[in-house]
């Protein structure tokens, strides 16, 4: 029997603020012009190594679409949304990443990535690994390089670290109690193409 989850005001405010940023910011950014910097559509394939606290690990390949909106010069907002359907319940992962592209005269553009998101699953092999009855945080850190083949087309390679962490409500069973926890780290190497829209 599923029991209702009690969320603290801090968790609700943080998740609400993140979702608003994720939904509203791209619309606002599209209305602003930053010189000739157009939004970029990026599709990457990634190789992942997944490990958990128990010491087990596995490797997988995924496809990841995203769109980047320039805020100011080399600074981009890259929202990512993964919605997965399962027989139990819908699974999701929403990330809001900031990417800083180091400018220069070269066709090679290195970048740094940092962001945070919320999820109710850890997507392994692009399917929900498990569906706990609570949402948890996703930390995103990475770096990479875009190599422009033409003015509006580049190949992109990046390393991405993601840490999924959080815990649910503590359940009491007489003298024992149990708290569901998520503590999973994913290391990804992603390669793909970027097209300026």
């Amino acid at each position: 029997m599923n029991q209702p989850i009690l969320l603290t005001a801090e968790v609700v405010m943080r998740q609400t603020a993140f979702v608003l940023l994720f939904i509203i910011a791209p619309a606002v950014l599209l209305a602003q012009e930053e010189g000739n910097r157009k939004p970029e559509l990026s599709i990457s394939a990634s190789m992942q190594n997944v490990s958990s606290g128990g010491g087990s690990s596995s490797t997988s390949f995924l496809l990841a679409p995203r769109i980047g909106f320039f805020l100011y010069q080399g600074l981009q907002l890259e929202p990512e949304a993964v919605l997965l359907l399962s027989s139990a319940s819908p699974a999701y992962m929403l990330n809001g990443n900031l990417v800083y592209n180091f400018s220069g005269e070269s066709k090679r553009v290195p970048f740094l990535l940092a962001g945070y998101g919320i999820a109710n699953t850890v997507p392994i092999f692009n399917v929900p690994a498990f569906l706990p009855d609570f949402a948890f945080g996703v930390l995103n850190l990475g770096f990479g390089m875009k190599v422009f083949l033409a003015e509006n087309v580049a190949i992109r390679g990046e390393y991405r670290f993601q840490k999924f962490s959080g815990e649910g409500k503590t359940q009491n069973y007489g003298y024992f109690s149990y708290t569901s926890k998520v503590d999973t780290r994913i290391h990804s190497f992603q390669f793909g193409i970027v097209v300026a829209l």
Side-chain angles (χ1 to χ4, degrees), residues 85-109:
L85 300 177
S86 75
S87 58
S89 64
Y92 64 88
M93 181 174 60
L94 301 173
N95 292 320
N97 298 319
L98 287 175
V99 177
Y100 185 77
N101 298 280
F102 294 91
S103 61
E105 298 301 319
S106 172
K107 292 186 178 190
R108 293 183 178 98
V109 179

Side-chain angles (χ1 to χ4, degrees), residues 34-163:
E34 178 55 46
N36 59 357
R37 304 303 298 257
K38 297 178 182 175
E40 293 178 344
L41 175 64
S42 174
I43 299 176
S44 297
S46 68
M47 181 179 80
Q48 293 184 340
N49 178 271
V50 180
S51 62
S52 62
S56 63
S57 68
S58 62
T59 301
S60 66
F61 292 93
L62 302 173
L63 290 177
R66 64 176 83 69
I67 191 162
F69 302 98
F70 281 93
L71 299 172
Y72 179 75
Q73 295 180 355
L75 185 64
Q76 276 181 300
L77 173 67
E78 273 191 353
E80 297 175 317
V82 177
L83 300 174
L84 305 165
L85 300 177
S86 75
S87 58
S89 64
Y92 64 88
M93 181 174 60
L94 301 173
N95 292 320
N97 298 319
L98 287 175
V99 177
Y100 185 77
N101 298 280
F102 294 91
S103 61
E105 298 301 319
S106 172
K107 292 186 178 190
R108 293 183 178 98
V109 179
F111 63 88
L112 295 175
L113 177 144
Y116 189 79
I118 56 173
N120 72 345
T121 190
V122 178
I124 300 174
F125 295 104
N126 216 17
V127 296
F130 50 87
L131 284 165
D133 58 356
F134 60 94
F136 46 86
V138 183
L139 172 67
N140 296 290
L141 300 172
F143 61 89
M145 178 86 66
K146 295 177 190 174
V147 179
F148 282 86
L149 306 174
E151 185 177 338
N152 63 342
V153 177
I155 55 174
R156 172 178 172 150
E158 89 180 70
Y159 162 78
R160 176 84 64 95
F161 169 78
Q162 290 181 296
K163 183 173 189 226

